Amino acid sequence: MGAITVAGLGKAYKTYPTRFARLKEWLIPFSTPRHRLNWVLQNINFTVTSGESVGIIGLNGAGKSTLLKAIAGTTMPTTGSVQVTGRVAALLELGIGFHPDFTGRQNVYMAVQLLGYTGAEIDGVMSGIEVFAEIGDYIDQPVRVYSSGMQVRLAFAVATSIRPDVLIVDEALSVGDAYFQAKCYQRINHFKQQGMTLILVSHSPNDVVKHCERAIMLKNGRIELDGSSREVTNRYLDELSGKEFVASDAARPDTEDTARPSMLDGNSDEFHTRPGYNTNEYRWGHGGAAILDYIFVADGQHYPSRIEGNTLTDFHFNVRFDADFDKVVPGLLIKTLEGIFLYGTNSFFSTHGRLNISAKAGDIKIFKFSIPLILNEGDYLLSFGISSGDPLQKLIPLDRRYDSAMIHIGRTTQISGIVDMEASFEVSAIAKAKH
């Protein structure tokens, strides 16, 4: 079965000040080097056991694709080593390995031969590749006329035509349509159940959480964090928040409520003493404000151990401000225990931009969100956040308490899936014609 060991991996590329410097170095090989090394990866160490699913995540330029190329063997490390056992299938850059002037069928034969398949194996998988790719007569047309979606369909069909021991996927599936993505992940999950090892690069935290138990975050060519996919994707979202914009802001609505629970009037941090508090919360922010306490109320009950599905529930939390802010944006996020985002909002979106909230140093404000929890039975995580700035341009996270509280939803009658879409149904009778 497939396993991966990466030890002391480093990858550097030579950069030259001019085109002639490169030529001079080639012509005079033993002279003073005229290049400098640009390190893309440095001191990368990790092990992936057989059957494990690992997501690789990080901002653009973090070194994700270079790491996958090193694992797949398409680039050689400058330092360190990579050991991979078992048959490897890699879906890296879109269309890599396809010749644009050859037909899809010709490219399939070449690609499958490069994977080490015998002639009998190629004949056996060709029809399956055509069926899975679903590109019809285009299979006999030059690849240069293919759309990007058609290329990824054919590439994935080839890479998974026979179950590999290790499957490496680098963002390519994001090009395909939703139907084909679901089809690909269905095949991936089937292979995972059979013990296949998966390495997945994606900018979507949801994809990483959903398909990988573990994740590795790269930053500036080094491992920033290696842990559970939920923990690592939280850190990744924080990294986005500290840059040019806030993606998937944990922010939610805010309104001051005259009927607020009086227990939220305090100035001390009581958050960790409340029912449902998650000791494994992840807290982060630039400072200037602190989330001190929270309460959720359903059917008039504070901190109910069970909230009946579809019940309108009030979420209150209070914030102490330690600096002046012209505009603050509180927010709320609900996730599954696996970390999948179910719903997130903030004061801007919940009031359609009608409410502008300012704060002075020393203020304590209480915010309230009311949400009908149309969820299936199960446990769910709450995240609270307070940010400053313009939600349409740039938000600065002041205090964020990710996965800080847990609620339990109960239902007398179970539904299929996670969310109750509250469908309606009708039936009509058609009168029989008279004979």
Side-chain angles (χ1 to χ4, degrees):
M1 303 301 288
I4 302 169
T5 301
V6 178
L9 175 66
K11 180 62 181 180
Y13 293 97
K14 295 179 179 179
T15 60
Y16 295 85
T18 67
R19 292 177 295 172
F20 300 107
R22 181 192 298 270
L23 178 61
K24 289 179 181 178
E25 187 174 275
W26 286 351
L27 295 176
I28 314 173
F30 300 107
S31 64
T32 302
R34 301 176 185 275
H35 68 268
R36 66 178 181 86
L37 293 178
N38 178 28
W39 288 93
V40 180
L41 295 173
Q42 293 189 72
N43 195 31
I44 304 294
N45 297 276
F46 65 90
T47 299
V48 180
T49 59
S50 178
E52 192 173 9
S53 300
V54 179
I56 308 293
I57 202 164
L59 301 179
N60 288 333
K64 304 183 298 296
S65 296
T66 303
L67 175 59
L68 292 199
K69 289 177 182 178
I71 295 174
T74 59
T75 189
M76 297 301 296
T78 306
T79 61
S81 62
V82 178
Q83 294 183 339
V84 182
T85 59
R87 188 197 295 262
V88 178
L91 196 63
L92 302 177
E93 297 174 8
L94 183 62
I96 190 169
F98 283 171
H99 194 293
D101 292 328
F102 291 168
T103 67
R105 190 181 304 277
Q106 291 169 329
N107 274 290
V108 167
Y109 273 98
M110 289 189 295
V112 173
Q113 285 177 329
L114 290 174
L115 291 175
Y117 292 9
T118 64
E121 287 177 323
I122 295 175
D123 293 335
V125 302
M126 188 64 209
S127 60
I129 291 173
E130 288 187 66
V131 170
F132 191 90
E134 294 183 2
I135 60 174
D137 294 337
Y138 277 96
I139 191 72
D140 292 309
Q141 297 295 319
V143 168
R144 68 171 180 270
V145 304
Y146 286 16
S147 67
S148 58
M150 293 169 65
Q151 289 187 50
V152 77
R153 281 172 173 265
L154 190 60
F156 186 88
V158 170
T160 60
S161 54
I162 294 179
R163 181 182 66 79
D165 297 311
V166 178
L167 177 63
I168 301 172
V169 181
D170 182 10
E171 287 289 356
L173 295 185
S174 62
V175 177
D177 56 74
Y179 162 76
F180 188 71
Q181 287 183 33
K183 186 177 180 180
C184 291
Y185 281 122
Q186 185 178 31
R187 173 171 281 191
I188 287 173
N189 290 331
H190 176 67
F191 285 167
K192 283 168 58 180
Q193 293 172 5
Q194 296 178 339
M196 182 192 74
T197 300
L198 173 67
I199 302 293
L200 172 68
V201 160
S202 177
H203 283 290
S204 168
N206 274 356
D207 284 347
V208 172
V209 168
K210 186 174 181 179
H211 301 289
C212 305
E213 301 83 20
R214 173 186 166 199
I216 296 172
M217 177 178 168
L218 296 182
K219 182 178 180 180
N220 299 325
R222 298 178 181 272
I223 293 180
E224 178 77 3
L225 185 62
D226 183 346
S228 70
S229 56
R230 184 163 61 84
E231 176 188 11
V232 174
T233 52
N234 277 345
R235 179 67 186 88
Y236 172 69
L237 289 172
D238 285 340
E239 188 69 17
L240 288 177
S241 301
K243 298 296 180 180
E244 293 299 322
F245 61 92
V246 176
S248 299
D249 192 338
R252 293 311 160 228
D254 118 346
T255 20
E256 295 191 60
D257 186 36
T258 55
R260 64 180 182 260
S262 60
M263 60 187 294
L264 295 180
D265 292 340
N267 188 34
S268 60
D269 190 340
E270 301 293 335
F271 203 102
H272 64 286
T273 69
R274 301 308 184 191
Y277 172 68
N278 178 21
T279 58
N280 294 317
E281 72 163 322
Y282 183 75
R283 192 173 187 179
W284 180 85
H286 290 288
I291 299 172
L292 302 177
D293 206 351
Y294 75 98
I295 185 172
F296 53 93
V297 183
D299 288 332
Q301 183 180 359
H302 292 186
Y303 307 109
S305 58
R306 171 191 167 106
I307 302 174
E308 190 64 29
N310 298 54
T311 298
L312 182 66
T313 304
D314 295 332
F315 297 92
H316 308 254
F317 64 101
N318 67 347
V319 178
R320 183 190 68 232
F321 292 92
D322 302 318
D324 296 346
F325 297 99
D326 292 332
K327 183 180 293 185
V328 293
V329 181
L332 178 71
L333 175 66
I334 302 176
K335 299 183 193 177
T336 67
L337 292 183
E338 296 79 19
I340 297 174
F341 289 28
L342 295 178
Y343 178 68
T345 186
N346 60 35
S347 56
F348 180 84
F349 295 117
S350 294
T351 64
H352 305 287
R354 295 191 300 268
L355 184 62
N356 182 42
I357 308 167
S358 60
K360 298 291 185 181
D363 285 353
I364 294 179
K365 290 184 179 291
I366 300 175
F367 305 112
K368 170 189 169 184
F369 296 94
S370 298
I371 303 174
L373 296 176
I374 53 174
L375 300 171
N376 205 354
E377 181 167 327
D379 295 309
Y380 299 91
L381 293 168
L382 301 176
S383 299
F384 300 90
I386 184 73
S387 302
S388 66
D390 186 343
L392 292 180
Q393 297 184 29
K394 181 179 180 180
L395 283 175
I396 299 173
L398 306 178
D399 189 19
R400 291 200 175 162
R401 305 190 75 149
Y402 285 156
D403 307 338
S404 55
M406 187 179 298
I407 57 174
H408 178 75
I409 306 297
R411 295 187 74 94
T412 304
T413 303
Q414 291 283 307
I415 60 173
S416 297
I418 299 176
V419 178
D420 183 357
M421 303 299 287
E422 300 183 320
S424 60
F425 172 75
E426 295 180 0
V427 60
S428 301
I430 301 175
K432 294 182 179 180
K434 295 181 179 179
H435 295 288

